[in-house]
Amino acid sequence: NAEPFQVTVREDNCIIVSLEASDVVSSSSVYVVKIAGESKNYFFQFEEFNSTLPAPVVFNAKYHGLYYIVTLLVVNSNMVSKSARSITVLTKPLPVSSVSIYDYKPSPETGVLFEIQYPEKYNVFTRVNISYWEGKDYRTMLYKDFFKGKTVFNHWLPGICYSNITFQLVSEATFNKSTLVEYSGVQHEPKRHRTVPYPPRNISVQIVPINRNNWEEHSGNFAEESFMGPQEIIRKEKLSRFSANPPEIPAANTSVAWPDYRYNSTEYETTSQPYWWSNEAESSEGEEEFVNAVSSDYEANDVNTSGKLTPEPPSFLPVQMVLTWLPPKPPTAFDGFHINIEREENSTEFLTVSEDTHKFIAELKEPGKYKLSVTTFSSSGSCEVRGSQSAKTLSFYISPTGEWIEELTEKPQHVTVTVLSSTTALTSWTASQESGGNSTIVSVVSLTCQKQKESQRLEKHYCTEVNSSRSLIENLVPGAQYQVVVYLRKGPLVGPPSDPVTFSIVPTGIKDLTLYPLGPTAVVLSWNRPFLGVFRKYVVEMFYFNPSTMTSEWTTYYEIAATVSLTASVRIANLLPAWYYNFRVTMVTWGDPELSCCDSSTISFITGKRPPEKT
């Protein structure tokens, strides 16, 4: 009942073959081990033995993750070998050495890019085992679509913290209807990654005038804050000037600390409020401590030189901002929302509200341009805190009279440019009545300016983008190519840009083309160009009857690069004596397609006869 010969694989990738008593047929026979699997077969003979079994055969396998077939051969005294039995073993692949996990840019909410590094030489594997914790649930799966160590995993859940992510190389082999599987060890540092949560949906804002005599009760889950005007800050600054030793009193814009969420951070920091955001409950204690303070009667009104009181201009009437949104689309794991409020592009405040809050109410006490955005954040688990992308940024303007101007979302359609002259063009477009824009911005930039060297630049006005409220475009340069973009505007708010339109101005061509004969076979052409104009090169052509081809056609003789010089000339040689020629010079632009002018710039000439040769 003894076991047959044993084959094992050690951790150092050595195959150990041991001969058992049941394998011994005759003491006069020779026992040989054949190992197949690599590019050639290996044979090892057991040492001769009598009553004690010989020492095992040790084979140092070169490949990791490769299956080997180990066969025991018995050779009798007549040198006839017989295969006793065969055993298949599979070596273990080498482990992954390092792992990197990146967001899959087309879909960071559900996709990641895995990049693994591992020893490639003599290392064989068929699939990769990926194990991780999805929140509190353990997951494992086999993946084979790795190309050069990279693959995209695009079925994770948004906002979830995936921790203890490990990779194992897996080798598989099938022999005699049985499957062998070996997993590599785990030597890399386990990774963690949080997918990006989806942003909130249906973000909208409403501005409601405040009726001080009739406060409405609000119901539902919402947060409420107040934006205070600068009058209180200014008043405190004025009061502090009259005190010889003013006590240290916090300024109005630092009296309340607000949680400030920072991206990719698990901690919250506190930042001071801007002057237009102050808590309604803020008290004015400490103002009485100023002994030399100006009386409140004089603070409210200025006294002019005639002794009459000058009334203050009417102050801004506060309005109420109601910001609402819906939770992100499921399944998204999230822990709350961040509200980003920006005023006049220089004061920004971040607020954090819980995941159950879907409305935010604030009192705006300062006119100006506001930008709002609401993002989702996920923070539970051991991964870094991550916020969603901003699904939509809301812009609106509150005028000094309390008028609410909504953002413009429509772009101008059917933008066309009609060239009126060599220096002017007219822009036209269409927009629906619902767009709300009451004025426009026409943005013009030259496409040819940057193609010229600065020292040779022939235009300067539209080298950078020029914005105008007029549809008439002036100060254009002949030969230049321009791009026009139109924006709708209402108050200080500007809508999205129209599709860009490109147009070109035809060059004016040369003037004063003059020919100077240099004999029967050569001439010099000279010409001037207009002071105002942009072009890439001069093209010098000539027309004559070619006796070799028996045809007459225009052929290019020479091309001259454009310069700032107003005069140019070229020498034309190897002409036929007593022959009729037409010459013309055209200006070619930088535009695409190229424009040229003008075919009418021509001059005719008949070369002289050769003098008779002396005999």
Side-chain angles (χ1 to χ4, degrees):
N1 295 327
E3 294 291 334
F5 82 112
Q6 299 291 317
V7 181
T8 58
V9 181
R10 293 194 318 210
E11 290 295 328
D12 58 358
N13 212 46
C14 288
I15 298 177
I16 311 300
V17 184
S18 302
L19 191 65
E20 299 296 332
S22 60
D23 301 317
V24 178
V25 178
S26 171
S27 59
S28 60
S29 299
V30 177
Y31 297 89
V32 178
V33 174
K34 173 187 174 183
I35 299 179
E38 297 183 7
S39 58
K40 64 177 182 178
N41 297 331
Y42 296 89
F43 295 89
F44 300 91
Q45 180 180 336
F46 284 102
E47 298 177 356
E48 295 183 0
F49 62 94
N50 292 321
S51 59
T52 304
L53 294 175
V57 170
V58 178
F59 172 66
N60 187 12
K62 181 185 297 184
Y63 287 87
H64 299 264
L66 185 68
Y67 76 94
Y68 290 85
I69 301 176
V70 182
T71 304
L72 178 63
L73 302 176
V74 180
V75 183
N76 57 23
S77 58
N78 296 328
M79 300 302 294
V80 177
S81 63
K82 180 181 178 182
S83 177
R85 57 181 61 88
S86 296
I87 295 178
T88 301
V89 294
L90 183 63
T91 57
K92 183 180 295 186
L94 294 174
V96 174
S97 56
S98 67
V99 175
S100 298
I101 305 177
Y102 308 97
D103 283 340
Y104 180 51
K105 292 184 178 180
S107 177
E109 295 84 4
T110 59
V112 289
L113 172 64
F114 291 137
E115 183 177 4
I116 61 175
Q117 294 181 359
Y118 51 85
E120 297 184 13
K121 191 174 183 180
Y122 306 128
N123 197 19
V124 181
F125 66 95
T126 54
R127 290 193 281 184
V128 178
N129 182 63
I130 307 174
S131 303
Y132 52 86
W133 283 90
E134 185 180 76
K136 298 181 180 180
D137 299 322
Y138 182 74
R139 311 286 187 192
T140 182
M141 66 177 305
L142 292 173
Y143 216 68
K144 65 177 181 179
D145 295 329
F146 275 82
F147 178 71
K148 294 184 178 181
K150 297 180 181 180
T151 190
V152 174
F153 212 64
N154 201 18
H155 49 265
W156 273 0
L157 300 178
I160 291 289
C161 175
Y162 291 86
S163 59
N164 199 28
I165 306 171
T166 58
F167 293 79
Q168 292 174 284
L169 303 184
V170 182
S171 293
E172 300 166 300
T174 302
F175 186 77
N176 286 342
K177 298 182 180 181
S178 61
T179 301
L180 302 177
V181 180
E182 284 291 341
Y183 290 75
S184 70
V186 177
Q187 289 188 358
H188 69 87
E189 180 183 356
K191 296 293 181 177
R192 64 184 66 176
H193 180 85
R194 185 190 301 278
T195 51
V196 176
Y198 279 119
R201 299 171 295 162
N202 297 352
I203 304 173
S204 63
V205 64
Q206 286 186 339
I207 303 299
V208 181
I210 295 179
N211 185 355
R212 293 294 183 182
N213 299 324
N214 184 18
W215 290 95
E216 296 183 0
E217 295 293 332
H218 297 277
S219 60
N221 294 322
F222 63 89
E224 183 172 0
E225 296 297 339
S226 176
F227 292 73
M228 302 298 292
Q231 289 81 4
E232 186 175 348
I233 302 172
I234 296 174
R235 182 158 52 89
K236 289 185 178 181
E237 291 176 351
K238 287 182 179 179
L239 290 172
S240 63
R241 293 199 193 105
F242 293 92
S243 175
N245 296 305
E248 294 185 359
I249 296 179
N253 61 342
T254 59
S255 59
V256 181
W258 292 88
D260 184 17
Y261 166 66
R262 301 296 181 189
Y263 183 72
N264 285 344
S265 173
T266 57
E267 298 180 355
Y268 290 88
E269 301 177 2
T270 60
T271 58
S272 60
Q273 288 178 279
Y275 71 87
W276 44 271
W277 182 318
S278 178
N279 195 299
E280 281 186 335
E282 179 185 3
S283 64
S284 58
E285 294 181 0
E287 293 183 4
E288 298 177 358
E289 297 176 14
F290 289 94
V291 179
N292 296 326
V294 179
S295 172
S296 59
D297 295 335
Y298 288 93
E299 186 182 18
N301 301 281
D302 295 329
V303 182
N304 58 18
T305 56
S306 62
K308 296 181 179 180
L309 295 178
T310 303
E312 280 190 344
S315 61
F316 173 74
L317 296 179
V319 295
Q320 192 176 69
M321 179 190 71
V322 181
L323 181 64
T324 59
W325 63 90
L326 292 179
K329 67 177 184 179
T332 301
F334 64 99
D335 299 285
F337 302 96
H338 287 302
I339 303 173
N340 181 9
I341 304 179
E342 180 181 340
R343 180 184 177 273
E344 298 295 349
E345 300 180 353
N346 57 12
S347 299
T348 304
E349 187 67 21
F350 294 90
L351 284 175
T352 301
V353 296
S354 66
E355 67 271 21
D356 297 329
T357 302
H358 303 144
K359 179 186 289 187
F360 176 79
I361 298 177
E363 186 177 326
L364 306 181
K365 296 192 175 182
E366 269 296 295
K369 182 179 178 181
Y370 290 85
K371 286 185 179 181
L372 308 176
S373 64
V374 183
T375 57
T376 311
F377 74 90
S378 178
S379 60
S380 59
S382 59
C383 303
E384 61 184 6
V385 179
R386 299 203 65 177
S388 69
Q389 300 175 353
S390 180
K392 183 180 181 182
T393 299
L394 302 178
S395 300
F396 61 90
Y397 176 73
I398 303 297
S399 69
T401 60
E403 180 187 3
W404 172 36
I405 302 177
E406 297 184 74
E407 66 175 332
L408 301 173
T409 58
E410 181 183 345
K411 65 181 182 179
Q413 303 291 333
H414 309 107
V415 178
T416 58
V417 178
T418 304
V419 178
L420 302 180
S421 67
S422 60
T423 58
T424 58
L426 183 65
T427 308
S428 61
W429 60 89
T430 59
S432 64
Q433 295 181 354
E434 292 78 12
S435 61
N438 52 16
S439 62
T440 55
I441 296 177
V442 178
S443 177
V444 184
V445 66
S446 171
L447 301 180
T448 56
C449 186
Q450 302 302 326
K451 297 179 181 179
Q452 310 165 57
K453 295 182 180 178
E454 190 171 355
S455 60
Q456 301 292 330
R457 193 167 289 171
L458 302 178
E459 62 168 331
K460 297 181 180 179
H461 186 67
Y462 290 105
C463 287
T464 57
E465 196 172 86
V466 177
N467 296 327
S468 172
S469 59
R470 301 176 58 194
S471 59
L472 183 66
I473 306 173
E474 298 178 314
N475 300 319
L476 302 177
V477 177
Q481 188 177 50
Y482 300 92
Q483 179 176 279
V484 175
V485 176
V486 180
Y487 303 82
L488 297 179
R489 181 174 65 179
K490 187 174 183 181
L493 298 183
V494 178
S498 68
D499 296 331
V501 175
T502 303
F503 71 98
S504 302
I505 305 295
V506 177
T508 54
I510 67 165
K511 60 182 180 179
D512 303 331
L513 179 61
T514 308
L515 184 145
Y516 301 95
L518 298 179
T521 60
V523 296
V524 171
L525 293 179
S526 178
W527 63 89
N528 297 326
R529 70 165 180 84
F531 177 78
L532 187 63
V534 177
F535 64 105
R536 180 183 180 186
K537 60 185 177 181
Y538 296 110
V539 177
V540 180
E541 299 173 286
M542 62 182 183
F543 180 88
Y544 70 104
F545 178 76
N546 191 337
S548 60
T549 60
M550 302 299 291
T551 58
S552 298
E553 59 183 358
W554 286 100
T555 57
T556 299
Y557 178 80
Y558 203 67
E559 293 184 354
I560 305 174
T563 64
V564 294
S565 175
L566 297 178
T567 303
S569 61
V570 63
R571 183 178 183 271
I572 302 177
N574 301 322
L575 300 177
L576 298 174
W579 215 259
Y580 177 82
Y581 286 91
N582 258 346
F583 302 98
R584 73 180 177 192
V585 180
T586 57
M587 300 171 69
V588 179
T589 66
W590 287 93
D592 185 18
E594 293 180 343
L595 298 179
S596 62
C597 183
C598 295
D599 294 343
S600 60
S601 303
T602 61
I603 191 169
S604 303
F605 181 71
I606 299 176
T607 56
K609 297 181 181 180
R610 284 184 185 275
E613 296 181 0
K614 296 181 180 180
T615 57

